[in-house]
Amino acid sequence: MSHLYEHLNQPDGRWLRDIFLLSILFGFLFLAGLGSAPLIDPDEGRYAEIPREMLERGDFVTPTLNYVKYFEKPPFLYWLNAGSMQLFGQHEWAARLPSTLSGLLTVLLTYAAGRKLFDRKTALIAALILGSSAGFLIQSRIILTDMLLTFCLSAALFCFLSATRCTDRKQQLFFQLFFIFSGLAVLAKGLIGIVLPGGIIFWYLLVSMRWQLLRQLPWFSGLLLFSTVTAPWFILVSLKNPEFPHFFFIHEHFQRYTSTIHQRSQPFWFFFPILILTMFPWSFFLPGSLKNAWHERHSSKGVTLFLLLWPLIIILFFSLSSSKLIPYILPVFPPLTLLIAAFFVSQWRSRKGTGIRAPFLLISLLVMILGICTTAVVIFPELWGHVQKNNLPVPKQLLLFSGIFFTAAGVLLLLGLRTRSTTVIVTLLLLFGIAIELMFPKFYSDQIAESLSSRKIAQAALQHATPQTILAQIGPNQGMNFYTRKRLMTVFILDELTFGSQQGDQRPWFPNFVDFVHLWKSDQHVLLVLPRSDIRNFATVINTTPTIVLETANQALLSNH
């Protein structure tokens, strides 16, 4: 512990050494076993298949999914994934690499920003907190546009904040980088890439009354850089696809935010428990950190105020939206980890630590209780029978191991509390978070991903298909496209392929109910992928008993012959 304390307290530690050590530590955690789990549907299958089709078609302007136009997202992640798959091959590891590197770079960016805005100790603690937040790492290892957005958005806002503390050439450079990264954020996720930083900056200027910063912005060069990054693709895709502007800007932005057309509505408070879970165990220090930041909001040349407004505006913005998903609040992690780190440092310097020990005690007790309860579920037959009755995909051995781990971790944390050392507390929490991150890939690969993936179904389809076989699906199963490298006929439920199915004559690939039943009863060999729970209903509809080729946890592959 003394070596860690001495390392953290070296005020003039080398940047490259810290970056190197953080890269080694979290590079292993973020990248180890990245390709072991199959792609999960719908997100990973979608964001791997679109770039695969780009490479196959040689068209990097018009994204397609199942070979029909798909305009729900801009192409930045598709381009990065396509480049990765071109370099390393068309498999899971290459498809996930850009999103995972975005998460790792966000950790390093948080260190760099903390070093410039605070000091070395705060920067290191913030990076360690962010990298050991299991929810952040887990979402980094899944193909999501939100992690790439998080990196671009964080880079833009950190550059703006850094510019407010500089003068002359450095200030102009940081402002110009702000415009560049804002443009990349737009290419990553759409207009949200400029709406969020614009809203945060507006409220920061309003609360701090620093409107003079608007005169310091290099508007001409900044907007030119922003347009250079964003305009080419938007112009080209609109020229090639006149239907793009209305669908992308009106349907995917305005209607998505104000209505429930994507059926993702959640209560207003949805993101608050999500934040507590995804930032665990560090989220328990948020109340004290936010209170400390509020008291310091007028210090540090506006840094603390900016870091307070950043997560507040984002959470409020998405809480008011009619469409809510867990990854939407990923961009709040960097500022919150810096505020927690600043709180830890203030407690360190005061030599009291009372604001840290109370949350740490609560974490320790909750972890120990969770471990005891989990172990009890396995030991007592009545409780284990209830788990089996609900068909939870958790093997008994894994559940027992988890129970023992959390019980032991809770006891160890409680013992650490007796030292009354902030260094010991931070170290134990860091080790606890890393231990969870080491456990997750194995559980994720063996249980969650396998149950949500189309890989086994796709492999079975390729084994039973002939060159003349038609592969069909009820509702989009994007992983089927990726693993079979084929186009699938889609029937009954079109979901996100609805828009693409209406562009051009797509009737052979999107038949109506009568035509598909006729095809199924013909001599043509058809393999159909559908939800496992719909087998009986499908048999009733076609009035025949289909041949079941394979059943997985959630899907089934049927044959008409």
Side-chain angles (χ1 to χ4, degrees), residues 39 43-53 81 85 95 143 482:
L39 300 177
D43 291 326
E44 289 202 301
R46 178 195 309 119
Y47 297 133
E49 174 60 14
I50 293 173
R52 190 198 69 80
E53 291 182 18
N81 285 355
M85 287 192 285
I143 311 175
F482 182 82

Side-chain angles (χ1 to χ4, degrees), residues 375-482:
T375 306
V377 166
V378 179
I379 294 176
F380 294 102
E382 297 82 3
L383 297 175
W384 179 245
H386 184 71
V387 171
Q388 292 180 310
K389 183 179 179 181
N390 287 275
N391 297 318
L392 296 178
V394 183
K396 193 172 186 178
Q397 296 83 353
L398 180 61
L399 203 62
L400 179 61
F401 174 79
S402 300
I404 295 173
F405 166 77
F406 282 112
T407 303
V411 172
L412 183 61
L413 292 173
L414 284 173
L415 291 175
L417 185 63
R418 296 180 59 185
T419 66
R420 305 179 67 84
S421 168
T422 304
T423 305
V424 171
I425 289 175
V426 172
T427 303
L428 288 175
L429 287 174
L430 175 63
L431 293 175
F432 176 66
I434 290 176
I436 294 177
E437 292 174 347
L438 289 172
M439 291 170 55
F440 177 78
K442 178 65 175 175
F443 171 72
Y444 175 78
S445 176
D446 292 349
Q447 305 301 324
I448 301 175
E450 287 292 349
S451 66
L452 298 176
S453 175
S454 299
R455 184 169 67 177
K456 288 184 178 179
I457 293 289
Q459 292 170 345
L462 291 175
Q463 291 175 357
H464 288 80
T466 67
Q468 290 75 38
T469 297
I470 294 178
L471 295 182
Q473 59 186 350
I474 294 181
N477 295 276
Q478 295 86 347
M480 285 293 297
N481 298 110
F482 182 82

Side-chain angles (χ1 to χ4, degrees), residues 345-366:
V345 171
S346 68
Q347 292 285 303
W348 227 317
R349 288 170 178 165
S350 68
R351 299 185 179 276
K352 294 180 180 180
T354 54
I356 293 179
R357 286 194 289 271
F360 184 76
L361 174 61
L362 180 59
I363 294 170
S364 305
L365 292 174
L366 287 176

